[in-house]
Amino acid sequence: MYLQIMAQVEEQQKNLVQGIESLPGSGPLSAFDQDLLLLKATSAAALSCLGECLHLLQQNISQEGPGPSGNTLWMQQEWRNSGVSLLLPSSLILVEDEVTDTEDNEEDDLADLDDQRSIILHIISQLKLGMDLTRVVLPVFILEKRSLLEMFANFLAHPDLFLSISCGTTPEERIISFVEYYLTAFHEGRKGVVAKKPYNPIIGETFHCSWNVPKDRVKPVRANTASCGLKGKASSEGYRLRFVAEQVSHHPPVTSFYCECKERKVCVNVHVWTKSKFMGMSVGVSMVGEGILYLLEHGEEYIFTLPCAYARSILTIPWMELGGKVNIHCAKSGYSATVTFHTKPFYGGKLHRVTAEVKHNPTNTIVCKAQGEWNGILEFTYSNGETKVIDTTKLPIIRKKIRPISKQGPFESRHLWQHVTAALREGDIDAATEHKHVLEERQRKEERQRATTNTLWKPKYFIKEVMGKIIGNRNVQSLHLNIFMTFQL
């Protein structure tokens, strides 16, 4: 009932905003009238407060136990991954239809925003410091030509480094390899520092891809030895790394993705709630959630978190940076790592700085330190005095394989957003805006229908799991892939 009332209020507030925005841009009563802008901002703030109240109400209900259906709501839960070892069946991702991706991830600069500044000012007039931007519709000209789901896939542009983690002969080598991969992943996944925003995935949207990784490129990162498993022999064969992502929730916006390599007995399971806030002249995006890397051959699990992202100088030429402290730890081995993404100081200082430290907790020994820029040169210093330098801009890229749009399902990212992407490539902002509006309206309509029938959304590939543990008066909920199979040894 409460969700239905909230849906009605949202619809009324949307009609108010549309009514104001349909007014002419000038004249005695225009869309930019200060009183009307204040009315828009006040209505948006009131709706946000109602949403928070509903959230608190749902929390109280959840503490009294599940409803008649035995289910709880997505918003009530903390998010964690399960410890289930998994395997993707070949039917889930049709790798035989995949071809090497030829899309260019480079984005054009936003250049001078004078023509769009009135639009940005109009949006800012609706915002308050700290306000959640989840429900704020942003202009199309700041969008990247890819979905958030694909952006997460691009973090695996160096799959050889990812698979090399399992080649370490000791727990120390393996966690250091993980940290080295982690620090090199963001350059290609973020692809430059232009502060553009990927498409907000539609609930139920999915993205599938894979990589063929040459076996001779998968080796211990600190040893000049043959590739692990080749016993000194070269091989033209490759490992197959497969990836699936799904938007499992709309409010809050939660993405889950899973990646595995059957041959190396490696898989990773991640959930991310992209929580954005207005910070004055900046926008901050917190990646709330965590991931678990499973090295099944070694029986190890590495739990890790993700940094925050910031879009700075949004009234001039926006640029982006990463910030915050990330933790990585393996309970079995006793090793942990702390990675700190440093934001630029107001005066002086370098952009995109990152430092890291790997520690063996039982002995309190630092075994590796790293420093540099996450999109530039990184220097690693090991406990034995050795050093290594990695230039992330010169690391070879292994292009992902993806099925052509003609062979994708209607809710796969590139198929779903193809008209928006085509319009952006042609520079037709009006057409891109219209196509984006059609997708978003369809999602809102389906959400209202589910609210009317009190039907919860059921993801296709992931399921929620209540752990039966209480943290901060909330049930701990995890997501894992909806397939219960282990690797066949």
Side-chain angles (χ1 to χ4, degrees):
M1 178 181 69
Y2 300 115
L3 291 176
Q4 185 177 357
I5 294 173
M6 274 299 298
Q8 293 173 354
V9 174
E10 288 178 358
E11 182 67 21
Q12 291 172 356
Q13 198 268 342
K14 185 186 73 171
N15 292 337
L16 170 66
V17 171
Q18 289 178 344
I20 294 175
E21 293 178 346
S22 65
L23 294 172
S26 60
L29 186 61
S30 74
F32 299 102
D33 181 86
Q34 293 298 315
D35 291 334
L36 291 180
L37 290 177
L38 181 61
L39 176 61
K40 286 174 59 179
T42 304
S43 66
L47 185 62
S48 177
C49 290
L50 286 174
E52 290 295 326
C53 292
L54 178 60
H55 178 53
L56 292 173
L57 180 61
Q58 290 170 338
Q59 282 184 285
N60 291 333
I61 294 174
S62 68
Q63 294 173 19
E64 297 175 1
S69 63
N71 293 324
T72 52
L73 297 172
W74 294 101
M75 291 176 60
Q76 296 170 200
Q77 308 297 318
E78 295 287 344
W79 298 82
R80 291 189 61 186
N81 295 83
S82 73
V84 181
S85 300
L86 307 165
L87 175 62
L88 290 171
S90 58
S91 59
L92 183 59
I93 301 178
L94 306 177
V95 294
E96 65 273 10
D97 293 331
E98 293 180 338
V99 296
T100 301
D101 186 26
T102 57
E103 294 285 343
D104 188 355
N105 291 331
E106 293 289 352
E107 289 289 337
D108 298 330
D109 291 338
L110 287 172
D112 190 358
L113 292 180
D114 284 341
D115 294 339
Q116 290 88 16
R117 186 165 287 116
S118 61
I119 299 176
I120 297 175
L121 284 170
H122 175 57
I123 294 173
I124 291 177
S125 71
Q126 306 175 56
L127 308 179
K128 291 184 177 181
L129 286 177
M131 183 176 175
D132 185 357
L133 300 181
T134 302
R135 299 175 187 268
V136 177
V137 179
L138 299 176
V140 170
F141 62 80
I142 69 168
L143 294 180
E144 296 182 24
K145 296 183 285 290
R146 62 175 176 174
S147 171
L148 179 68
L149 303 189
E150 183 170 357
M151 187 194 80
F152 285 130
N154 289 343
F155 286 145
L156 286 157
H158 306 303
D160 50 333
L161 297 183
F162 176 73
L163 294 182
S164 294
I165 299 170
S166 64
C167 292
T169 56
T170 65
E172 178 179 322
E173 289 183 2
R174 289 191 288 274
I175 192 168
I176 290 175
S177 296
F178 185 22
V179 171
E180 292 185 6
Y181 159 74
Y182 189 95
L183 291 176
T184 60
F186 294 95
H187 167 63
E188 186 64 24
R190 195 43 260 171
K191 202 58 181 179
V193 296
V194 178
K196 287 191 174 183
K197 178 183 178 299
Y199 307 141
N200 284 335
I202 301 298
I203 189 169
E205 178 182 335
T206 62
F207 184 83
H208 307 261
C209 67
S210 68
W211 294 263
N212 279 336
V213 186
K215 289 186 176 180
D216 57 3
R217 290 176 58 173
V218 179
K219 62 185 67 175
V221 294
R222 293 180 61 191
N224 295 319
T225 60
S227 302
C228 53
L230 293 183
K231 298 181 180 180
K233 297 181 180 180
S235 173
S236 60
E237 299 177 358
Y239 297 117
R240 178 59 65 91
L241 184 65
R242 293 186 284 170
F243 176 95
V244 58
E246 180 178 6
Q247 191 70 7
V248 297
S249 173
H250 180 47
H251 291 304
V254 179
T255 302
S256 292
F257 63 87
Y258 174 81
C259 185
E260 70 159 29
C261 177
K262 177 182 176 181
E263 300 91 339
R264 294 301 312 159
K265 299 181 175 62
V266 174
C267 62
V268 64
N269 194 18
V270 183
H271 67 267
V272 180
W273 170 13
T274 49
K275 188 176 183 180
S276 55
K277 285 190 176 182
F278 178 60
M279 302 169 62
M281 291 299 101
S282 302
V283 172
V285 181
S286 299
M287 300 292 183
V288 181
E290 67 179 23
I292 303 181
L293 170 68
Y294 301 92
L295 303 183
L296 301 183
E297 185 177 3
H298 305 287
E300 294 174 344
E301 298 178 5
Y302 297 80
I303 300 176
F304 61 93
T305 54
L306 297 170
C308 300
Y310 299 94
R312 307 293 193 188
S313 303
I314 58 178
L315 275 181
T316 55
I317 299 178
W319 53 276
M320 69 82 57
E321 64 176 343
L322 300 177
K325 183 175 290 187
V326 168
N327 296 305
I328 303 169
H329 72 273
C330 176
K332 179 180 179 179
S333 67
Y335 283 93
S336 66
T338 301
V339 180
T340 303
F341 293 85
H342 301 270
T343 56
K344 185 181 181 301
F346 189 77
Y347 290 107
K350 292 184 177 181
L351 284 171
H352 315 306
R353 284 185 59 243
V354 63
T355 56
E357 187 176 270
V358 182
K359 178 188 291 187
H360 183 238
N361 294 306
T363 60
N364 201 33
T365 304
I366 306 297
V367 298
C368 177
K369 289 186 176 182
Q371 63 177 348
E373 293 81 41
W374 58 265
N375 61 348
I377 295 176
L378 297 163
E379 181 178 350
F380 297 84
T381 303
Y382 307 108
S383 56
N384 61 4
E386 294 181 0
T387 61
K388 182 168 78 171
V389 174
I390 297 178
D391 187 344
T392 61
T393 65
K394 295 181 179 179
L395 286 174
I397 302 299
I398 297 179
R399 286 191 170 271
K400 61 181 177 288
K401 292 182 175 293
I402 186 171
R403 283 176 292 129
I405 289 178
S406 61
K407 295 188 177 181
Q408 292 185 14
F411 274 86
E412 292 189 57
S413 295
R414 289 195 180 177
H415 186 283
L416 189 69
W417 294 96
Q418 59 179 313
H419 300 302
V420 178
T421 301
L424 287 176
R425 285 204 181 102
E426 296 170 2
D428 191 341
I429 300 301
D430 291 339
T433 301
E434 179 59 30
H435 289 305
K436 176 173 174 285
H437 178 72
V438 169
L439 292 176
E440 292 171 340
E441 277 301 304
R442 185 179 72 182
Q443 178 176 228
R444 294 186 187 103
K445 180 180 178 181
E446 292 173 352
E447 189 173 17
R448 289 193 296 269
Q449 291 174 345
R450 289 194 298 273
T452 300
T453 58
N454 198 26
T455 302
L456 295 179
W457 173 260
K458 183 178 181 181
K460 184 175 182 180
Y461 298 124
F462 294 84
I463 63 174
K464 56 181 176 178
E465 180 178 278
V466 177
M467 305 294 288
K469 180 180 178 183
I470 302 298
I471 295 181
N473 292 325
R474 292 189 184 183
N475 290 325
V476 177
Q477 177 172 294
S478 69
L479 285 177
H480 57 78
L481 199 64
N482 192 14
I483 298 169
F484 302 92
M485 299 180 65
T486 56
F487 289 109
Q488 300 298 315
L489 301 177

